[in-house]
């Protein structure tokens, strides 16, 4: 089953086994199954059913079992005459059959929890574990519902006004609700797997797998600590549970506190370990919700925005930019649009970047709205329940409960007003387990939206006033104007933000020394050529190519040829085992009619790519050529794989410019100037073709750009090495047959 990050480990294993078998047979591995997963095309509900629901059940299941324990350890009723202290209310023994049924349902619930845990750790099959989990939790829920209904009806003792429900009774209600919710979620998961919407096995990451274990351990720690302190301090056990929750959640009301020396001594290690354990649980929940689930949510939001943009473009009749320009030489623009295919693809790429930007903005504010709404519901509804519970005992108004809920949510915990009723104390424990993780998620989303916007605005103002950035005053000013004009004035420069408060500092180029060396060599070659009295045309071409190399490094270009009427053309590199040649698609001829004899120095890394910009004095430059030598080509692939692996560590995730994408695509055998592998996003895509704004675009889905590129580069290197191996095998087989014929 898919995990929250979209990983499908079992399929990857099967693919590798299939490739190994095909290689053993001497056939070409079938990479049709290697097409990237496209979760953005699947409804979001299937991700929730396959990943989110099991994780919610794994988290809340142990909580429900701990509440079942609290419902079993004490009787459900207390004798509380009017005008007496509630702390002195005596417990009334429950009927034996009620205690027995309560104990049986607890045992069944624990077995259901263990079945789910063993299933997630792949110790028990899905088809066996899921029915045990679902049926067990439903039995526990129904049993508790029946018991609480019976205790509230036929077992009421007269006079009713002198008897109250104990905390254990309320814990039974909370446990019944949680059991019913988590079992219903698992029914949805089971039905989706049974109907073939996703695999039946859980393939969870370590953080996901350990979340249930962390929750179980934390609940056990809380209950055992309450048992110890109730004996040390002389508290009722359920009051000790309430104290332990208030302590470990760092609220600290002060209505219960240790007074004995041994109790205060034990508090130090107990609170320290417990707070760290709770932080680990909340951190795991935050990681799953914000880091893994967010990628799937991002993909769906982007897919909807993409479809909306395409519909609008088509309705307005402006979809000519989406139609590939077929036929004709690469440098010939289309008569309708005035663009070459490369230009059209670049415009398509920029349109997809706009879609990404809007989708990211929507996603962040959608997440902020959802977390804020959930937090407000817990706050306002929780305040109302606290008012109902405490009104008969302390006369709380809604504002009193509203204030108390806020102080609890923010973990301020003044302790000026605290719950004293059994319903209020037990509900606070149940409510806090839900409210505090929600508060954590809300703070994270606020940092991703409101705080992020304020920080960026402050940084931009500081960069052009008292805190100039490393990019210079002009670049900083352009960025501010682009931000104020919503991206209308200047085009965004995609760059990697380094860590730190200010951020957006220009990253260090680790290949700068190599670039300078290449530039010096090119200049030296040009001087030698001029000194030897070479033909003016050859010198002019060499100077133009060296000028392109200077633009490659982002340095000012001097002496560029403003009168050059032609465009440098792209070249298609054809690699095969039998014919390793460079086949020019369209090349420039010199004055004598022959091809230029001296090739431009070919850069070997993506950091040396040209910025494809148009100016009045310089035409659009060409991308570096792919090495025509097999060994050089393989070394280039390895170098780029190493570079992209470093990009995977970038935070925020690394994004690539269109020239960088064109370079990487050229390395894997695709040409952005060739329309053979391009298609309209509306049309049904043929095998191996895609559009930048199509559903199979590498900018879509849950994969980061560096992940997509790394996968393609490694696959291409694998294919090349397999081709060399097959050629050697054929050569060895042919040589062996020749020797036999000689004999």
């Amino acid at each position: 089953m898919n995990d929250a990050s979209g990983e499908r480990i079992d399929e990857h294993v099967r693919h590798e086994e299939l490739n190994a078998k095909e290689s053993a047979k001497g056939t070409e591995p079938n990479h049709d199954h290697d097409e990237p997963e496209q979760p953005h095309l699947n409804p979001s509900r299937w991700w929730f059913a396959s990943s989110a629901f099991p994780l919610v059940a794994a988290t809340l299941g142990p909580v429900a079992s701990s509440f079942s324990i609290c419902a079993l350890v004490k009787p459900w009723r207390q004798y509380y005459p009017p005008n007496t202290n509630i702390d002195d209310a005596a417990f009334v023994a429950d009927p034996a059959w009620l205690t027995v049924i309560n104990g049986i349902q607890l045992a069944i619930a624990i077995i259901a929890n263990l079945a789910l845990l063993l299933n997630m750790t792949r110790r028990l099959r899905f088809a066996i574990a899921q029915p045990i989990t679902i049926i067990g939790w439903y039995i526990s829920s129904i049993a508790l519902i029946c018991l609480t209904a019976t205790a509230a009806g036929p077992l009421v003792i007269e006079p009713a006004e002198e008897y109250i429900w104990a905390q254990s009774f309320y814990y039974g209600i909370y446990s019944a609700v949680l059991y019913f919710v988590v079992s219903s979620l698992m029914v949805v998961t089971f039905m989706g797997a049974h109907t073939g919407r996703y695999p039946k096995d859980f393939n969870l990451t370590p953080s996901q797998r350990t979340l249930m274990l962390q929750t179980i351990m934390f609940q056990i720690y809380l209950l055992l600590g309450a048992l110890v302190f109730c004996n040390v301090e002389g508290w009722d056990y359920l009051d000790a549970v309430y104290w332990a929750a208030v302590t470990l959640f760092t609220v600290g009301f002060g209505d219960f506190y240790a007074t004995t020396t041994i109790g205060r001594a034990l508090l130090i290690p107990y609170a320290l370990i417990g707070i760290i354990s709770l932080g680990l649980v909340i951190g795991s929940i935050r990681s799953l919700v914000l880091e893994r689930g967010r990628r799937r949510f991002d993909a769906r939001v982007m897919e909807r925005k993409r479809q909306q943009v395409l519909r609008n473009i088509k309705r307005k009749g402006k979809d000519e930019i989406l139609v590939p320009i077929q036929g004709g030489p690469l440098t010939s623009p289309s008569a309708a649009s005035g663009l070459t295919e490369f230009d059209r693809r670049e415009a398509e790429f920029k349109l997809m970047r706009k879609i990404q930007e809007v989708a990211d903005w929507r996603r962040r504010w959608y997440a902020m709205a959802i977390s804020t709404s959930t937090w407000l519901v817990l706050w306002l509804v929780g305040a109302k329940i606290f008012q109902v519970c405490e009104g008969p005992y302390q006369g709380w108004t809604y504002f009193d409960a509203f204030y108390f809920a806020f102080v609890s949510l923010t973990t301020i915990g003044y302790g000026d007003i605290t719950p004293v009723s059994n319903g209020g104390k037990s509900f606070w424990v149940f409510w806090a387990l839900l409210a505090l993780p929600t508060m954590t998620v809300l703070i994270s989303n606020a940092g991703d939206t409101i705080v992020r916007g304020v920080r960026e605005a402050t940084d931009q103002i500081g960069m052009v006033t008292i805190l100039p950035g490393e990019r210079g005053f002009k670049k900083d000013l352009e960025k501010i104007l682009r931000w104020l004009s919503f991206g209308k004035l200047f085009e965004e420069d995609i760059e990697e933000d380094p860590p730190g408060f200010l951020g957006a500092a220009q990253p260090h180029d680790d290949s700068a020394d190599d670039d300078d060396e290449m530039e010096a060599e090119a200049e030296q070659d040009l001087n030698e050529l001029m000194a030897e009295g070479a033909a003016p045309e050859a010198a002019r071409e060499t100077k133009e190519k060296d000028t392109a190399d200077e633009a490659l490094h982002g340095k000012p270009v001097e002496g560029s040829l403003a009168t050059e009427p032609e465009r440098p053309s792209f070249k298609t590199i054809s690699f095969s085992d039998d014919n390793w040649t460079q086949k020019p698609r369209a090349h420039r001829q010199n004055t004598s009619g022959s091809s230029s004899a001296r090739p431009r120095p070919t850069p070997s890394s993506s950091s040396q790519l040209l910025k494809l910009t148009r100016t009045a004095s310089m035409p659009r430059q060409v991308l570096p050529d792919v090495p025509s030598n097999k060994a050089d080509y393989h070394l280039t692939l390895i170098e780029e794989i190493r570079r992209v692996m470093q990009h995977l560590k970038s935070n925020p995730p690394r994004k690539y410019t269109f020239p960088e994408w064109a370079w990487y695509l050229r390395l894997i055998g695709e040409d952005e100037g060739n329309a053979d592998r391009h298609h309209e996003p509306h049309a049904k895509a043929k095998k191996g073709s895609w559009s930048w704004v199509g559903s199979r675009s590498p900018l879509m889905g849950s994969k980061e750009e560096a992940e997509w590129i790394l996968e393609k580069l490694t696959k291409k290197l694998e294919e090349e090495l397999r081709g060399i191996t097959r050629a050697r095998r054929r050569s060895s087989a042919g040589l062996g047959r020749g020797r036999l014929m000689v004999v």
Side-chain angles (χ1 to χ4, degrees), residues 188-254:
V188 177
T189 299
F190 182 81
M191 293 303 297
H194 184 70
T195 55
R197 299 292 182 179
Y198 37 79
K200 295 182 178 180
D201 294 328
F202 289 109
N203 289 313
L204 305 177
T205 61
S207 61
Q208 293 169 330
R209 187 178 296 111
T210 58
L211 177 60
M212 188 175 186
L213 290 173
Q214 290 174 351
T215 306
I216 292 174
M217 297 304 296
F218 176 75
Q219 294 295 325
I220 293 175
Y221 186 80
L222 187 147
L223 296 179
L224 290 179
L227 179 62
V228 171
F229 279 92
C230 79
N231 290 307
V232 171
E233 297 294 332
W235 298 330
D236 178 75
Y237 178 71
L238 296 183
D239 285 340
V241 170
Y242 164 76
W243 168 86
V246 170
T247 301
L248 298 184
F249 292 160
T250 68
V251 179
F253 289 131

Side-chain angles (χ1 to χ4, degrees), residues 563-617:
T563 59
E564 173 61 36
E566 298 182 5
R567 250 183 230 269
S569 61
F570 289 84
K571 295 180 180 180
T572 300
I573 308 302
S574 174
F575 299 131
S576 64
D577 293 327
D578 301 324
N579 183 22
W580 185 264
T581 59
Q582 177 174 325
K583 300 179 180 179
R585 186 179 183 85
H587 54 276
R588 184 183 310 150
Q589 304 291 327
N590 60 20
T591 54
S592 62
S594 60
S595 300
S596 300
R598 182 180 181 276
R600 172 172 61 89
T602 301
S604 60
S605 70
S606 59
S607 64
Q608 301 168 352
L609 290 176
L610 301 175
K611 292 186 176 180
L612 299 182
T613 57
R614 295 177 184 269
T615 64
S617 61

Side-chain angles (χ1 to χ4, degrees), residues 1-2 6-18 33-37 122 197-199 203:
M1 185 175 298
N2 294 353
E7 298 173 356
R8 304 180 70 170
I9 300 174
D10 54 338
E11 291 192 5
H12 289 304
V13 173
R14 288 197 297 269
H15 295 168
E16 292 301 324
E17 292 177 351
L18 180 59
H33 50 261
D34 290 330
E35 289 296 329
E37 186 185 2
R122 310 191 77 171
R197 299 292 182 179
Y198 37 79
N203 289 313

